[in-house]
Amino acid sequence: MKALRERYVPNEKAMTCPKCSQISERQAVSQNLFVCPLCGYHFPIGAYYRLSTILDSGSFRELFEKLPAGDPLSFPGYKSKLEESRRKTGLNEAAVIATGTVDGRKCVVGVLDSRFLMGSMSAAVGEKITLGIEYATKNKLPLILFAASGGARMQEGILSLMQMAKTSAALARFSQKGLLYISILTDPTTGGVTASFASLGDIILAEPGALIGFAGPRVIQQTIGQTLPEGFQRAEYQEEHGFVDQVVPRSKLRDTISQLLLLHQKGGRP
């Protein structure tokens, strides 16, 4: 897991926080799980780094890693954007699915990586998530999905939108088996991802300050012609209004997941 961390941590010596505009040493931010030590802003992090903060060391095993994005509509410029994202991230697609353990409890974990075309849901992303759900169903394992997405990928048209129904149907079959699904919403979780698998968790957690919604606040405000409340669509607002069960800082996320897995396993015993 150390190798995964190092692969996705650039080497700049300082970082500017987009929330408080203050500069911090990169080492200090890195040691704080890429949370600003001055204001608590949660920087976006890559999928492999995310997994390294959650799974037990040495337990990571990636599933369906060779499933790449396609270009079904021959959309102008799409192939070059895919290649650029692959070079930038080292990923074949915006989703990473893996098995591993959290304090010794085996589970299936999926992560959307916002660095790959804003974590948008393509046919391949939907397929990887569905395969991960089906793997968890077949093996009777808890499922944890981290959402970070701008929504459905427009370059794939209706094939992208179909993934909303596809992932939701797979989760319905998963739920019928009485298995646990924990959905974790990170910044941003929007569009078709919010309207499908991200909102279907038995337990829904969110990182502080995460933008969570279908359409963006600007679009909603222009549509209804009203000023929105302060913090509208942020994780804390969503928790206050019952959409999110709990807002959990990144530093406490692994322990929270571990506790939930323990509470939901048969008998609730280690």
Side-chain angles (χ1 to χ4, degrees), residues 61-125:
R61 182 170 71 87
E62 188 168 357
L63 303 173
F64 323 117
E65 65 271 22
K66 294 183 180 180
L67 187 64
D71 184 15
L73 305 182
S74 299
F75 196 92
Y78 184 37
K79 283 187 177 180
S80 62
K81 287 186 177 181
L82 288 174
E83 288 301 321
E84 181 182 355
S85 292
R86 288 170 183 144
R87 287 194 299 270
K88 177 182 175 183
T89 65
L91 303 173
N92 281 325
E93 248 296 3
V96 174
I97 309 295
T99 60
T101 60
V102 179
D103 286 335
R105 299 177 187 90
K106 192 172 182 180
C107 54
V108 174
V109 185
V111 183
L112 292 183
D113 194 318
S114 61
R115 300 171 306 156
F116 197 109
L117 294 178
M118 274 307 299
S120 52
M121 185 160 62
S122 64
V125 167

Side-chain angles (χ1 to χ4, degrees), residues 5-262:
R5 287 174 183 263
E6 291 175 348
R7 183 178 177 187
Y8 288 92
V9 179
N11 295 316
E12 293 88 344
K13 293 183 179 180
M15 298 179 70
T16 301
C17 175
K19 182 179 179 180
C20 68
S21 301
Q22 299 299 307
I23 298 175
S24 299
E25 290 187 3
R26 171 168 284 272
Q27 184 177 6
V29 178
S30 174
Q31 291 173 346
N32 202 34
L33 297 178
F34 282 88
V35 176
C36 176
L38 302 176
C39 72
Y41 171 76
H42 283 52
F43 286 89
I45 55 177
Y48 289 120
Y49 183 83
R50 170 80 69 183
L51 288 164
S52 77
T53 68
I54 299 298
L55 297 177
D56 296 338
S57 179
S59 71
F60 169 88
R61 182 170 71 87
E62 188 168 357
L63 303 173
F64 323 117
E65 65 271 22
K66 294 183 180 180
L67 187 64
D71 184 15
L73 305 182
S74 299
F75 196 92
Y78 184 37
K79 283 187 177 180
S80 62
K81 287 186 177 181
L82 288 174
E83 288 301 321
E84 181 182 355
S85 292
R86 288 170 183 144
R87 287 194 299 270
K88 177 182 175 183
T89 65
L91 303 173
N92 281 325
E93 248 296 3
V96 174
I97 309 295
T99 60
T101 60
V102 179
D103 286 335
R105 299 177 187 90
K106 192 172 182 180
C107 54
V108 174
V109 185
V111 183
L112 292 183
D113 194 318
S114 61
R115 300 171 306 156
F116 197 109
L117 294 178
M118 274 307 299
S120 52
M121 185 160 62
S122 64
V125 167
E127 178 70 5
K128 291 185 77 169
I129 291 169
T130 300
L131 288 171
I133 297 167
E134 291 175 344
Y135 183 94
T137 305
K138 179 180 178 181
N139 293 279
K140 299 181 180 180
L141 295 173
L143 174 69
I144 303 165
L145 295 179
F146 286 84
S149 179
R153 193 172 298 171
M154 66 175 187
Q155 293 94 335
E156 296 189 21
I158 192 65
L159 295 175
S160 174
L161 295 174
M162 285 170 56
Q163 307 311 310
M164 296 169 63
K166 182 177 179 178
T167 55
S168 298
L171 282 171
R173 295 189 293 270
F174 177 87
S175 180
Q176 288 170 359
K177 299 293 183 180
L179 300 168
L180 174 66
Y181 167 36
I182 302 172
S183 178
I184 303 170
L185 314 181
T186 70
D187 188 40
T189 299
T190 60
V193 168
T194 304
S196 56
F197 67 87
S199 300
L200 296 176
D202 300 304
I203 298 169
I204 300 179
L205 308 177
E207 286 193 332
L211 176 67
I212 303 164
F214 184 67
R218 183 183 303 175
V219 173
I220 295 173
Q221 189 162 293
Q222 291 175 346
T223 301
I224 66 176
Q226 298 179 22
T227 301
L228 299 173
E230 185 177 353
F232 179 74
Q233 291 189 323
R234 292 294 170 179
E236 293 76 11
Y237 184 93
Q238 303 287 22
E239 180 186 28
E240 182 181 344
H241 290 80
F243 185 80
V244 167
D245 293 308
Q246 187 177 357
V247 176
V248 183
R250 192 172 291 164
S251 61
K252 297 181 179 180
L253 200 49
R254 174 183 157 88
D255 288 343
T256 300
I257 291 171
S258 178
Q259 185 177 35
L260 289 172
L261 293 176
L262 171 61

